Amino acid sequence: MIPYGKQEITQQDIDAVVDVLKSDFLTQGPQVPLFEQSIKFAVDAEHALAVNSATSALHIACLALGVGKGDVVWTTPITFVASANCALYCEADIDFVDIDPSTYNLSAENLKKKLQHAKENNLSLPKVVIPVHLCGQPCEMDKIHALGQEYGFAIIEDASHAIGGKYKGNPIGNCEYSDITVFSFHPVKIVTTAEGGVATTNSKELAAKLDLLRSHGITRDSSLMVNDSHGGWYYEQVDLGFNYRMTEMQAALGVSQMSRLHDFVAKRNALAARYDELLKGLPLITPYQIEDSYSGRHLYVIRLKINEITITHKECFEQLREKGIGVNLHYIPVHTQPYYKGLGLVFSQLDEAESYYKDAISIPLFHAMTEAQQDEVIKVIKEVLV
Ligand SMILES: *Cc1c(COP(=O)(O)O)cnc(C)c1O
């Protein structure tokens, strides 16, 4: 089976992890700051805080921005559940903004309409909006940011798919249009630390809050303490935090992987361009890219032209799997999940998201994929569709 995504681990990666195992620190040592440094450098942000997953990063990002009971967070329905769960962890409510039919990202236009509608009808405005750069393609952050200024919401970019990408010439994660950006380093993502996440920000205050929240709300920094130090052993718990720390082994793997970020993303883009070319003329839509952007190309999603083929979406998916192509579907619209239906919230019409779910398929794309593997994927798609 050719998988839809797969990590690439080199001897250099293995050596980096083994070196940590032989060192004095398995956690809270020098590797995490080095990994954070590599992210800051790559994405041009002032602060980078590593944690044990993007899910944890999203959780503490919401808390750092003051999300709590009575607040509402808006995100896209076409995302992994974690982008929405983070609001529920903070006891806030969640709502969804429908996607753009060409990019499949949270639509800035629909966001504007939904904000206007909420304002006119005295409904809750969002405290935080979480745009997700689906497949690595950036959302229209300039427009979303302008709406944030107008309606007073904060922005967390869920860039779990997007490290190494660019928006209007700047690296995704530099937070030019957001308060905090979150990255994931799960093995299917572009760069991996096995499990891991990072939050970037340009705000010193937010960075300090994120730092506290990832480690029990405990500080050893006297400027953050309430009392005078009792002695060399002294620390204070000044907030209710968690243990969301990344280990040294994970961070060392991350540092080693980050040295190949540019190569990973360039290779993904070359493979994506090859798919664009070789899938032409088939009854499917290849990914549209907005102007002035460079996608990290985490995923390659095709949309079947159901009216032009004789099999169903499900049949196509299953035949591809049977023939050894490890396709997947990103994602089941979050608002249709039983847990979300059970919340008793009323979500807006999400027609574009629901129609996306009826014809989208993620086909294999990963850094180490060979052209021969890619040719096999294309050959099988042709067999199944025509
Ligand atoms: C993978 C992913 C997450 C969660 O990442 P973890 O590191 O596995 O917690 C969140 N949002 C999106 C869009 C993702 O793809």
Side-chain angles (χ1 to χ4, degrees):
M1 182 82 83
I2 302 173
Y4 83 85
K6 186 173 187 285
Q7 73 275 17
E8 184 214 59
I9 299 294
T10 61
Q11 191 60 44
Q12 174 196 305
D13 294 336
I14 294 167
D15 292 345
V17 174
V18 171
D19 285 348
V20 169
L21 287 167
K22 293 177 182 165
S23 78
D24 289 337
F25 296 99
L26 302 186
T27 187
Q28 294 172 289
Q31 294 298 323
V32 166
L34 282 175
F35 179 52
E36 292 172 339
Q37 199 64 39
S38 74
I39 301 287
K40 271 192 332 193
F41 181 72
V43 311
D44 205 10
E46 305 234 346
H47 307 275
L49 292 109
V51 289
N52 57 1
S53 70
T55 303
S56 301
L58 286 163
H59 181 195
I60 61 174
C62 284
L63 289 175
L65 289 166
V67 173
K69 218 183 176 94
D71 292 326
V72 189
V73 171
W74 291 2
T75 187
T76 168
I78 301 298
T79 186
F80 184 57
V81 291
S83 318
N85 286 346
C86 57
L88 306 182
Y89 297 157
C90 304
E91 297 185 82
D93 283 338
I94 187 83
D95 202 356
F96 300 94
V97 180
D98 206 1
I99 60 170
D100 179 313
S102 55
T103 63
Y104 324 140
N105 274 331
L106 181 148
S107 149
E109 202 174 313
N110 289 336
L111 174 61
K112 186 176 180 179
K113 283 190 202 143
K114 192 171 163 69
L115 288 162
Q116 281 167 346
H117 178 262
K119 197 170 183 188
E120 282 160 17
N121 294 280
N122 254 327
L123 304 171
S124 312
L125 287 166
K127 173 106 174 181
V128 170
V129 172
I130 308 181
V132 179
H133 306 311
L134 190 75
C135 307
Q137 157 141 259
C139 297
E140 292 181 287
M141 290 309 301
D142 54 347
K143 294 183 188 163
I144 296 171
H145 178 256
L147 290 167
Q149 299 294 104
E150 187 180 345
Y151 287 88
F153 57 80
I155 299 172
I156 301 171
E157 291 174 73
D158 183 343
S160 293
H161 299 182
I163 197 152
K166 287 184 184 163
Y167 176 68
K168 295 190 184 291
N170 292 319
I172 293 173
N174 78 340
C175 298
E176 183 173 351
Y177 298 103
S178 63
D179 297 278
I180 297 172
T181 302
V182 166
F183 295 105
S184 171
F185 300 98
H186 181 278
V188 298
K189 308 291 163 74
I190 297 168
V191 165
T192 190
T193 60
E195 295 281 2
V198 161
T200 61
T201 181
N202 295 327
S203 155
K204 207 176 153 203
E205 292 73 33
L206 288 173
K209 280 190 198 166
L210 292 165
D211 188 30
L212 270 182
L213 289 167
R214 73 173 160 178
S215 196
H216 308 281
I218 282 173
T219 184
R220 289 178 188 276
D221 176 350
S222 58
S223 71
L224 299 175
M225 289 183 186
V226 176
N227 301 310
D228 289 337
S229 173
H230 300 177
W233 65 87
Y234 193 64
Y235 59 80
E236 272 184 2
Q237 186 184 345
V238 293
D239 202 343
L240 182 61
F242 308 87
N243 180 353
Y244 282 170
R245 292 189 303 261
M246 176 178 271
T247 69
E248 289 287 288
M249 288 79 79
Q250 291 169 308
L253 178 56
V255 171
S256 180
Q257 289 252 314
M258 281 300 286
S259 69
R260 306 199 299 283
L261 173 66
H262 179 74
D263 180 34
F264 286 169
V265 175
K267 183 77 189 295
R268 285 173 177 274
N269 271 276
L271 288 165
R274 204 163 171 268
Y275 266 143
D276 289 347
E277 198 52 41
L278 297 173
L279 292 172
K280 265 188 191 150
L282 291 171
L284 55 84
I285 300 167
T286 54
Y288 165 82
Q289 301 293 296
I290 60 167
E291 252 175 55
D292 218 359
S293 72
Y294 179 62
S295 170
R297 294 286 194 175
H298 165 51
L299 298 170
Y300 192 94
V301 172
I302 57 170
R303 293 191 63 182
L304 303 179
K305 292 182 177 170
I306 295 294
N307 298 333
E308 297 179 21
I309 56 178
T310 52
I311 52 172
T312 65
H313 178 227
K314 189 176 172 194
E315 283 164 351
C316 175
F317 188 98
E318 284 170 355
Q319 287 180 27
L320 289 168
R321 281 253 179 114
E322 276 160 25
K323 290 171 184 271
I325 309 302
V327 287
N328 218 310
L329 205 174
H330 301 92
Y331 292 90
I332 304 164
V334 178
H335 67 285
T336 68
Q337 292 288 356
Y339 183 80
Y340 277 80
K341 286 192 164 171
L343 290 174
L345 296 168
V346 181
F347 302 126
S348 34
Q349 282 291 110
L350 298 161
D351 298 339
E352 291 297 344
E354 286 174 20
S355 77
Y356 169 93
Y357 183 55
K358 291 184 184 135
D359 56 27
I361 297 179
S362 307
I363 64 175
L365 179 65
F366 48 94
H367 169 253
M369 187 179 195
T370 63
E371 288 194 356
Q373 283 176 315
Q374 193 177 28
D375 290 339
E376 173 67 14
V377 174
I378 294 161
K379 188 193 94 193
V380 174
I381 291 175
K382 285 183 179 165
E383 278 170 21
V384 167
L385 287 185
V386 285

